[in-house]
Each structure stands twice: as C-alpha cells, then as structure tokens.
Amino acid sequence: VTTTRGDKLAPHKVALARTDIDAEVSKSLNSLEATFEYVKPTAFLGLGGVGPVLTKPLVEIMLKAADRPIIFPLSNPTSKAEITAENAYVWTNGAAIVASGSPFPSIEVNGKLCTPSQGNNMYVFPGMGLGASLAQPTYISDEVIVAASACLQKLLTEEDRQKGLLYPPISTIREVSKHIAVAIIQQCQKEGLGAANLPTSSEELLAHVQKQMWQPVYAPPKFMNKI
C-alpha cells in the first residue's frame, strides 16, 4: 500500500501506507511477484482467502531477507490457505515461523520436528467473553484487547518455545481462557470500566473465574420404568 498508487486510500490504510515510493514504481508493483522482488518482505500475513499464492520463488525471496521468515497463512479452510505448513517449512529448510488459520500436521525437516501453531481467535475470544460477562464493562477498550493478547503471550512456556510453538497447546485452552478472563477483569478495573465489586488480586480472581466457568460434565441419564 503506497500513497502514490493513484487512488484515495481508506483512512485506516493511511497510517500504514508507504510514502517513500514514487508513482512510477507504484504502478509497476502490479503483481505479488513484482511486489516481493521490490519490498523483500520478512513477514507474510495471508488473509485473502484465495488459496495457494505463496510460491517457492516468493518464499526464497523472503528467506534471503530474513533468517527466519514469518509465514502466516491465516485463511480458512485449508483449501483457501495461501501456503501449506509443509511447504513453508520445506522451502525454508525448517527456518520459517509458521502459524495458520487451519490446522496443519507437524513435519520433520532435516531431522527437526516442525510444528505449526494455529493462529485462531479461539485463544482469546472465550476468555474475553467470560471476563467481560463477569466485569460488565461499559465498553471494551483497545487496551482491554491488548491485555488479552499480552496475557496469551505470557502463557507460552519455555518448553512450548523450544517446540517452535507461538501459542500454548490447544489442550490447555480452558486454563488459557481462565487467565485471559482475569487479565480482562483487571484491565477493566484499571480503566474504571467495571468489575468494581470483584477481587483485585490475581489469585482471588483466578479462583472466582474458575467457579464461574461452565464445566461440560453431565449426570448419568436415568430411565423410568414403563408403567
């Protein structure tokens, strides 16, 4: 996105638009290949939902620009992903940092097990909804959302990092949601948006949130004898 490409940019694009590219160069950047050759990106966020577009030559351009290129094919379903995790790892000799919208299996590259993370809002939204329902804020500020994201990052263990994960294992999603709910409540308290009647310490809030979480446990069915 440039300020010289010949159209009027939407307000939300202006802050991110490049101002250092003249009109002639902007006009020549009319394909993904041309753009990659010029920009030499170190990160790729796939959000178009158009299927495989990140080819091996494009990945090789990224690998020349960064030792560990960031490749996030976030479009769903798998058929719409911009690149498979397998290709992202194989074409970078296992160096890519990968998170995808759809789940992809692990793959071994040069003796190293590469496990892609799943970049999905399921990591944040359940905890955010729980925290908001308990805090009853007047509105959800940007800072509240940032607090949820920061909390998620802190829940990543060193063991997770050694495995190349960017997010905690999905098997820990309930624990993740509990901590994010606490982060939401505390940020609401900090901003005076709500939760004035709730505890303020992390330990007390964790216990309170735990009590409020729905447990998917059902009593055994009982059958009545026919009369």
Side-chain angles (χ1 to χ4, degrees):
V1 179
T2 73
T3 56
T4 57
R5 67 183 193 180
D7 61 342
K8 181 176 176 58
L9 295 178
H12 67 278
K13 294 181 180 179
V14 173
L16 302 175
R18 289 188 58 164
T19 60
D20 60 335
I21 302 177
D22 63 43
E24 281 301 312
V25 173
S26 286
K27 190 180 298 184
S28 69
L29 304 179
N30 54 11
S31 69
L32 201 55
E33 291 75 13
T35 302
F36 267 58
E37 285 287 359
Y38 183 83
V39 175
K40 296 177 174 49
T42 59
F44 174 89
L45 303 183
L47 306 167
V50 295
V53 293
L54 194 59
T55 61
K56 185 176 181 181
L58 297 181
V59 172
E60 290 173 343
I61 291 173
M62 295 184 68
L63 191 57
K64 290 178 181 178
D67 292 334
R68 302 203 64 195
I70 298 168
I71 300 177
F72 284 13
L74 298 176
S75 296
N76 289 312
T78 306
S79 61
K80 299 296 184 182
E82 291 74 15
I83 185 175
T84 64
E86 178 179 357
N87 283 344
Y89 286 128
V90 170
W91 293 344
T92 61
N93 294 314
I97 298 172
V98 181
S100 58
S102 296
F104 283 103
S106 300
I107 180 175
E108 187 173 313
V109 180
N110 296 331
K112 173 186 174 184
L113 186 65
C114 299
T115 302
S117 294
Q118 189 176 357
N120 195 295
N121 56 26
M122 64 185 173
Y123 277 109
V124 170
F125 280 8
M128 181 175 290
L130 176 60
S133 69
L134 297 176
Q136 294 290 298
T138 51
Y139 70 99
I140 303 293
S141 68
D142 290 347
E143 288 74 16
V144 169
I145 297 175
V146 170
S149 299
C151 176
L152 177 62
Q153 186 273 327
K154 291 177 183 177
L155 294 174
L156 199 65
T157 67
E158 185 57 35
E159 182 181 356
D160 295 333
R161 297 179 196 279
Q162 290 299 322
K163 293 178 180 178
L165 297 179
L166 301 179
Y167 309 102
I170 192 62
S171 59
T172 65
I173 190 63
R174 288 182 64 84
E175 193 69 16
V176 168
S177 296
K178 182 170 67 175
H179 281 84
I180 287 179
V182 169
I184 294 293
I185 293 170
Q186 290 180 321
Q187 186 63 33
C188 287
Q189 290 173 330
K190 181 179 179 180
E191 296 182 51
L193 300 176
N197 61 325
L198 296 179
T200 56
S201 74
S202 297
E203 293 76 14
E204 290 178 298
L205 278 175
L206 280 170
H208 179 69
V209 168
Q210 179 67 49
K211 289 180 180 179
Q212 303 303 316
M213 292 180 73
W214 175 67
Q215 304 294 329
V217 178
Y218 301 91
K222 294 182 179 179
F223 301 97
M224 296 181 65
N225 293 328
K226 292 184 178 180
I227 298 175

